[in-house]
Amino acid sequence: MKENSVKWFGYLFSFAFLIISCAGTELTQKQVGDAYKGKPVSDILVIAITGNEHNRRSFEKKFVAQLKSVGVDAISSEEAIPMPADLELKKEMILTAVNQYENDAVVITHLIGKEEKDVYTRGGSGRRGYFGFYRSRFSYAHDPGYSSTSTTVRLETNLYDVKTEKLIWSGQSETFSRDSKDQIIKDVIKAVINDLQKNKLIAPK
């Protein structure tokens, strides 16, 4: 009986680990610019490309906050550049901003894909004897269950050197989560910053 309990706990632990590992953010593609030979950047203009003004502000604000939390100066395009009605920034606007705020790099993020799926969940199964199985199946049959939405978001982030306009780093992230949009954004930005630090491409001033 004790052995069966241990096995059952093992099944539950394995299942829980599988669920946890399916959530979160992964950098599926990463590239460090071959032509970049400069020192780590420490002052960044953050730009998000999106047709939704609220999403742009939210993403840029969180990116700036996380950069500053690791000692890197940053400013969002919302703060640095008057946004045109069509949300399209011209090169002259960006150059004016980086000169004014003395940025040494520009980071640009845009959406490359998004999928949403409805997930219907009901009660679990049981293997602890015939009556345990009956009870679990009975509960399953009478369980109304619940619905949730899982979201997969794919973003591309590119970091450019201001002086040469050459690519320093590029990465594509994939996030599978049932969390809120804000949490997904935080996870993506954290993954990007962690990799930039790992490659010694950003550093405090």
Side-chain angles (χ1 to χ4, degrees):
M1 194 71 177
K2 184 177 179 181
E3 182 180 352
N4 288 338
S5 297
V6 172
K7 286 183 178 179
W8 179 247
F9 178 78
Y11 293 145
L12 286 175
F13 180 81
S14 299
F15 179 71
F17 179 79
L18 178 63
I19 294 299
I20 293 170
S21 64
C22 286
T25 296
E26 177 186 4
L27 290 177
T28 56
Q29 296 183 39
K30 295 177 287 183
Q31 173 191 350
V32 177
D34 295 333
Y36 183 71
K37 304 297 181 183
K39 63 180 182 179
V41 299
S42 58
D43 199 326
I44 303 173
L45 173 65
V46 176
I47 300 175
I49 301 175
T50 172
N52 184 293
E53 181 69 1
H54 173 75
N55 289 345
R56 179 183 73 88
R57 289 175 179 173
S58 178
F59 187 91
E60 291 182 355
K61 183 178 179 180
K62 289 178 174 62
F63 209 147
V64 167
Q66 289 203 41
L67 284 169
K68 287 184 175 180
S69 73
V70 297
V72 177
D73 282 349
I75 189 168
S76 67
S77 71
E78 179 197 8
E79 298 174 276
I81 307 171
M83 184 60 62
D86 61 3
L87 304 182
E88 181 180 358
L89 298 178
K90 303 297 187 291
K91 183 177 181 179
E92 294 74 18
M93 297 177 178
I94 298 175
L95 290 176
T96 299
V98 297
N99 287 330
Q100 179 182 351
Y101 294 97
E102 299 181 343
N103 307 118
D104 54 8
V106 176
V107 65
I108 302 175
T109 300
H110 69 101
L111 180 71
I112 56 176
K114 180 180 179 182
E115 298 175 7
E116 290 187 350
K117 293 182 180 179
D118 291 329
V119 179
Y120 183 70
T121 305
R122 299 178 73 179
S125 61
R127 294 180 180 273
R128 295 173 290 180
Y130 67 86
F131 188 69
F133 178 78
Y134 167 79
R135 287 293 302 272
S136 68
R137 293 299 86 193
F138 181 85
S139 297
Y140 183 89
H142 291 79
D143 182 3
Y146 62 92
S147 296
S148 60
T149 301
S150 67
T151 304
T152 301
V153 177
R154 298 179 182 86
L155 298 173
E156 180 176 281
T157 300
N158 296 319
L159 181 69
Y160 295 92
D161 177 54
V162 164
K163 290 182 179 178
T164 65
E165 299 186 20
K166 293 187 181 298
L167 182 71
I168 298 175
W169 180 92
S170 178
Q172 291 187 8
S173 61
E174 182 172 289
T175 304
F176 171 80
S177 179
R178 297 182 188 179
D179 294 328
S180 67
K181 184 191 300 181
D182 284 349
Q183 187 59 51
I184 291 174
I185 290 173
K186 289 178 182 177
D187 290 345
V188 169
I189 296 169
K190 183 178 180 181
V192 169
I193 291 177
N194 284 346
D195 199 74
L196 292 175
Q197 288 179 311
K198 179 181 176 182
N199 285 283
K200 299 180 180 179
L201 296 172
I202 58 173
K205 267 190 171 178

